[in-house]
Amino acid sequence: YRAARIKAWLDPWAYQADDSYQTVQSFLAIGSGGVFGTGFGQGVSKFFYLPEAHTDFAFAVFCQETGFIGALLLILCFLYLCVLLFSMAMQAQDAHAFLVLTGVNLLISGQVLGNIAMVTGLLPVIGVPLPFISYGGTSMLSLLCSLGLLFSALNSSSRIKMTTRSSRLNTSKQTTPSPSPTSTPPTHPWRRRK
């Protein structure tokens, strides 16, 4: 079974009637979208041609209806989200916020990469949904819970940042009346200093 799946993945057109039917239909849906797509709701692959068009292969239907331009914009939106989460994780003030931000980023970016690679044939069909796009209550619930954890970690991190800043201001007012002209850049208290 595993060897048959690998063969079907390496040469999907040779097995388009059985093992690679879903992959070939995904290729046809993506290719028929062209540059600008067929328009929202105008794609025909989701009607009896492409299995699981609303879940795992929603990206293929999206490509067919919005074309290359829409697919590129969606990929850029996901890329922007991942870069934003990465930069927020690097600016986190405590280890908890850093770990939560990194974990949510890996969850979302891993699902995006896995789904798009699966739909475009770079990976075998693995059954990973596209975050925020694919139909499915469990996937959406886990993503929304992850975002809730992310916002909670950011909120606690900002409170820690404000507390440490106010305590630094109080101690600097008591010890020195004026700040030094050459100040060192702020360091994260949870990172080791070299």
Side-chain angles (χ1 to χ4, degrees), residues 97-182:
F98 174 77
L99 292 174
V100 169
L101 285 162
T102 304
V104 171
N105 192 7
L106 288 175
L107 174 74
I108 293 173
S109 61
Q111 285 185 354
V112 168
L113 287 174
N115 183 277
I116 292 176
M118 172 188 71
V119 170
T120 56
L122 298 175
L123 285 177
V125 177
I126 51 177
V128 176
L130 187 64
F132 307 112
I133 304 292
S134 294
Y135 176 81
T138 307
S139 173
M140 186 63 75
L141 182 66
S142 66
L143 283 171
L144 292 178
C145 287
S146 299
L147 289 179
L149 284 172
L150 183 141
F151 291 131
S152 174
L154 284 176
N155 190 18
S156 68
S157 178
S158 66
R159 273 194 244 137
I160 290 171
K161 183 178 180 181
M162 290 174 59
T163 305
T164 56
R165 184 179 295 157
S166 64
S167 65
R168 279 190 219 144
L169 287 175
N170 289 337
T171 57
S172 67
K173 285 180 184 177
Q174 293 171 357
T175 56
T176 57
S178 63
S180 63
T182 59

Side-chain angles (χ1 to χ4, degrees), residues 187-188 190-194:
T187 60
H188 296 290
W190 55 274
R191 291 185 182 164
R192 291 184 182 173
R193 293 185 180 138
K194 293 180 181 180

Side-chain angles (χ1 to χ4, degrees), residues 83-103:
V83 168
L84 181 69
L85 289 176
F86 177 76
S87 66
M88 289 166 62
M90 296 312 293
Q91 295 172 4
Q93 296 296 314
D94 60 339
H96 177 259
F98 174 77
L99 292 174
V100 169
L101 285 162
T102 304

